[in-house]
Amino acid sequence: EVQVLESGGGLVQPGGSLRLSCAASGFTLSSFSMSWVRQVPGKGLEWVSGISGSGAGTYYAESVKARFTIARDDSKNTLYLQMNSLRDEDTAVYYCVGGGIDSGYFWRHWGQGTLVTVSS
Amino acid sequence: EIVLTQSPATLSLSPGERATLYCGSSQYISSSLAWYQQKPGQAPRLLIFDASNRATGIPARFSGSGSGTDFTLTISSLEPEDFAVYYCQQRYNRPRTFGQGTKVEVK
């Protein structure tokens, strides 16, 4: 069974850093299109960052470019999101999402989400 | 950036009725569109990909259509568990973008 499990969320002060992890099971990350998507509670969905199957391509929303870094450790089958210079507006539930060829690389698999709260 | 506009914002219907949700794209996106369902306290669930293909395990009452800039999600006969928020999303180019959502509520 394919599963993704996020961890690493929490409370951080503005300007601080946090690293989110996403452990995948039942599939290999390199075979899927993986991204991070966030959602402010009660609001809509926003794509944050993505990584290609090969790992060579990394992509970011303008709102997080130069502050967030997506990475993958194939030996651990784990996806990461390093978040630096955090702002109040980064407060959200962060979902690790992935999809393979059976869903046209749309995101069929979602974690349960991890809450990031940026506040002083 | 491709902007997806969903309508209506809220759809008030009764169980058994037909629901029709719309998603319009600011640019041509071929059939590179998906629909997701989200219930309170849950992660979204993929319903439809490539505009008209049902994801694994999705009931046949859900169908998608459209291409280019205009897309539709139809729920043929609403079940109690279908009352939720629905989002469209494109992967034609980056950044990937979502519509603002349509809430299907009980009338």
Side-chain angles (χ1 to χ4, degrees), chain B residues 34-56:
Chain B
W35 292 91
Y36 298 84
Q37 176 194 66
Q38 186 177 33
K39 298 179 182 179
Q42 297 183 16
R45 175 174 72 148
L46 178 66
L47 299 175
I48 301 289
F49 67 94
D50 291 343
S52 60
N53 295 304
R54 271 190 304 277
T56 302

Side-chain angles (χ1 to χ4, degrees), chain A residues 39 59 103 106-108 111, chain B residues 34 36 38 50 56 91 94:
Chain A
Q39 184 174 37
Y59 312 95
S103 64
F106 282 97
W107 305 313
R108 184 181 164 205
Chain B
Y36 298 84
Q38 186 177 33
D50 291 343
T56 302
R91 67 180 307 277
R94 295 181 179 89

